[in-house]
Amino acid sequence: MTKKLFLLLILIAATLLSHAQFAQPAHFTAKQQITPSGQLEITFSSAIDAGWHVYGSEMEDGGPTPASITLEQQTGVQPAGPLKTTGGSIHRGIDPMFQCEVQTVEGSVTFRQLYNITADHYQVKGYLRYGACNDQTCIPPSTVEFQFEGDAPAKPREANDQTQDKTAPAEEGEPADTVTASTADTTAVAPPVESEPSLWEPVVDRLQALEQGGTHASSSLFWIFLMGIAGGLLALLTPCVWPIIPMTVSYFIKRKSGVRTAIAYGISIIVIYVGLGMFVTLLFGASALNAMSTNAVFNIFFFLLLLVFGLSFLGGFELTLPSSWSTAVDGKAEKTGGILGIFLMVHLRAKRLGLKGIPRENLPKAKQLLPKIYLLIPLVALVYLIVSGYTMSRAAIIATLLCIVVSLFNKEHRLTPKKFVDALETGAKNTLSIAVACGIAGIIAG
């Protein structure tokens, strides 16, 4: 049981590290508006976390990911000019990582794109693509999806109509400025008409529009965390959860190690749901789960799935997995446990000795490594021989001979007789430490 709990703690740590690695320093909000000149303007605004910067739209080729808009569908609109970048603090200069001139924005950023409206009704759908970095790492290129539609603003009357209206005499009893006021009213911009969404489409866009009008930006992460706990406690009172609580509690009370088992059970639920949420978010974007939760087809599918499970629980039929699946899972678990133990041993030993990875600026370029890729032949051969069933000693001898052969192709790495003798001497000195490491690895792997 201790080993299982330890593995669960490792999974939690890996989940937290993965979440930190793929942090989102910017959370964009997309909006549309009609400008006084009758053009459609789409803006993407976001605050940027401290220490991070977002790359602008004016970038050189070969550098980091510039901000750009890709249209998947456009009806009745045409782009008018390039994507413009505005923000709190805009900088231009040579990036030491990419060795080219870049445009970065810190604090806050707004991307603006104008479109000429060419039809009475317009529809535009696409996504904004942007990149962000800090002094240590960069996030993968992220996207912000958007979809807008509406009616074109009312066009002003023709000049000759306006002239006739202005010169026409006012009717008896009508103020003289009535005609002028009606003419001015025709130039007002008509707001876009929102169409009713389909019953089968997600309503996540409407939810985001409601959030934009609220004060959610002032809510702290701690407040959101407390609201999440409160929502979870309220969920315990639902009819599908409340009756199960006595059964779950009695199950753990009857066991000798009930407390440890209950802790492992709770941690497993957290890891599973957080892991699945991160997996879906990394593949399909931050709004994917919201879109799924408001999609009718997705909810009907889960309703039917839970209905099948409920009928099975009531004794209607029995759901069993093939025995071959459980046998294969048990075998994989044993092998994975040994490999994980070796990894942890090496990692902890490196931490104790203060070994760190090579800084990013010191990493060799790809064009420098490609001409020397043949040096990997002994390593690839060693892995292949071990997997093919060769003994460790035989595979090591063959890989060593390949090292000698590979070294002959380059003067810089050529193994001369003196270097060969020195290699034998160094290998003999290191035999003891290698033997101890292999012995420990063998004990862990079984």
Side-chain angles (χ1 to χ4, degrees):
M1 183 61 198
T2 305
K3 292 182 178 179
K4 294 181 179 179
L5 182 59
F6 179 70
L7 290 176
L8 287 174
L9 293 176
I10 295 300
L11 289 175
I12 293 174
T15 302
L16 294 176
L17 290 175
S18 300
H19 181 71
Q21 182 179 0
F22 293 101
Q24 288 293 338
H27 303 276
F28 281 90
T29 300
K31 296 181 180 179
Q32 70 163 343
Q33 64 178 357
I34 303 297
T35 64
S37 60
Q39 292 179 304
L40 170 66
E41 182 183 44
I42 298 180
T43 59
F44 303 87
S45 303
S46 173
I48 305 173
D49 293 348
W52 288 82
H53 57 263
V54 173
Y55 292 103
S57 57
E58 301 176 7
M59 307 278 286
E60 295 182 356
D61 295 335
T65 302
S68 61
I69 289 182
T70 300
L71 295 182
E72 299 174 335
Q73 178 183 355
Q74 61 179 114
T75 304
V77 294
Q78 290 293 336
L83 180 67
K84 296 183 179 180
T85 304
T86 58
S89 179
I90 301 179
H91 305 279
R92 296 192 67 93
I94 302 298
D95 191 298
M97 184 184 304
F98 297 98
Q99 296 298 319
C100 64
E101 185 176 359
V102 298
Q103 181 189 43
T104 59
V105 188
E106 298 177 354
S108 63
V109 63
T110 300
F111 296 110
R112 303 177 183 275
Q113 178 65 59
L114 290 174
Y115 295 92
N116 292 327
I117 302 176
T118 59
D120 294 336
H121 185 81
Y122 66 86
Q123 185 175 8
V124 59
K125 177 183 178 181
Y127 58 88
L128 169 73
R129 189 168 185 262
Y130 71 96
C133 294
N134 60 13
D135 295 336
Q136 297 178 351
T137 185
C138 296
I139 64 171
S142 304
T143 58
V144 181
E145 298 181 356
F146 67 92
Q147 181 176 3
F148 297 112
E149 62 178 314
D151 293 331
K155 297 181 180 179
R157 296 183 179 180
E158 299 296 333
N160 56 353
D161 293 339
Q162 295 180 1
T163 304
Q164 293 176 3
D165 291 340
K166 291 180 181 180
T167 56
E171 296 181 4
E172 183 178 356
E174 183 183 43
D177 58 349
T178 303
V179 178
T180 306
S182 62
T183 304
D185 291 340
T186 60
T187 61
V189 177
V193 179
E194 296 184 0
S195 60
E196 291 294 329
S198 173
L199 179 64
W200 303 96
E201 293 180 357
V203 295
V204 63
D205 293 336
R206 293 205 163 196
L207 293 176
Q208 291 176 350
L210 290 175
E211 291 178 359
Q212 293 172 11
T215 58
H216 65 282
S218 60
S219 301
S220 64
L221 292 178
F222 183 70
W223 174 255
I224 296 174
F225 177 72
L226 291 180
M227 289 296 99
I229 294 178
L233 293 175
L234 289 176
L236 294 177
L237 303 178
T238 56
C240 57
V241 178
W242 182 258
I244 306 298
I245 294 178
M247 300 172 57
T248 306
V249 173
S250 62
Y251 171 79
F252 291 117
I253 290 177
K254 294 178 181 179
R255 300 176 65 90
K256 293 182 179 180
S257 57
V259 176
R260 289 188 301 174
T261 307
I263 293 174
Y265 175 76
I267 293 176
S268 300
I269 293 176
I270 295 174
V271 171
I272 290 172
Y273 280 95
V274 172
L276 288 175
M278 290 181 58
F279 178 76
V280 174
T281 300
L282 292 176
L283 286 183
F284 305 104
S287 61
L289 291 175
N290 287 335
M292 292 168 60
S293 64
T294 59
N295 186 280
V297 177
F298 183 80
N299 283 275
I300 291 174
F301 169 77
F302 263 89
F303 164 74
L304 295 176
L305 184 65
L306 294 176
L307 181 63
V308 171
F309 287 161
L311 294 176
S312 174
F313 179 77
L314 294 175
F317 49 88
E318 185 177 358
L319 295 175
T320 57
L321 293 176
S323 58
S324 58
W325 289 16
S326 59
T327 304
V329 170
D330 292 339
K332 290 289 184 181
E334 293 179 1
K335 294 180 181 179
T336 305
I339 296 174
L340 181 62
I342 296 174
F343 170 78
L344 291 175
M345 181 190 68
V346 175
H347 176 70
L348 294 175
R349 179 68 175 174
K351 294 287 287 185
R352 182 179 300 175
L353 297 177
L355 301 178
K356 297 181 179 180
I358 301 175
R360 184 185 294 270
E361 59 271 11
N362 295 337
L363 290 176
K365 303 295 183 183
K367 60 182 180 181
Q368 298 174 350
L369 295 178
L370 289 178
K372 300 179 181 180
I373 196 172
Y374 66 92
L375 297 175
L376 292 176
I377 293 177
L379 180 60
V380 175
L382 177 63
V383 175
Y384 174 77
L385 293 173
I386 294 175
V387 173
S388 300
Y390 283 73
T391 62
M392 291 289 185
S393 57
R394 188 174 181 184
I397 292 173
I398 296 176
T400 304
L401 294 176
L402 284 175
C403 289
I404 299 175
V405 174
V406 168
S407 68
L408 299 176
F409 292 99
N410 194 323
K411 243 183 216 184
E412 182 182 353
H413 306 99
R414 189 168 296 167
L415 196 62
T416 62
K418 184 178 182 306
K419 291 182 179 180
F420 183 74
V421 173
D422 293 339
L424 292 177
E425 180 183 357
T426 304
K429 291 179 180 179
N430 295 331
T431 300
L432 183 59
S433 60
I434 294 175
V436 173
C438 292
I440 296 175
I443 294 173
I444 295 176

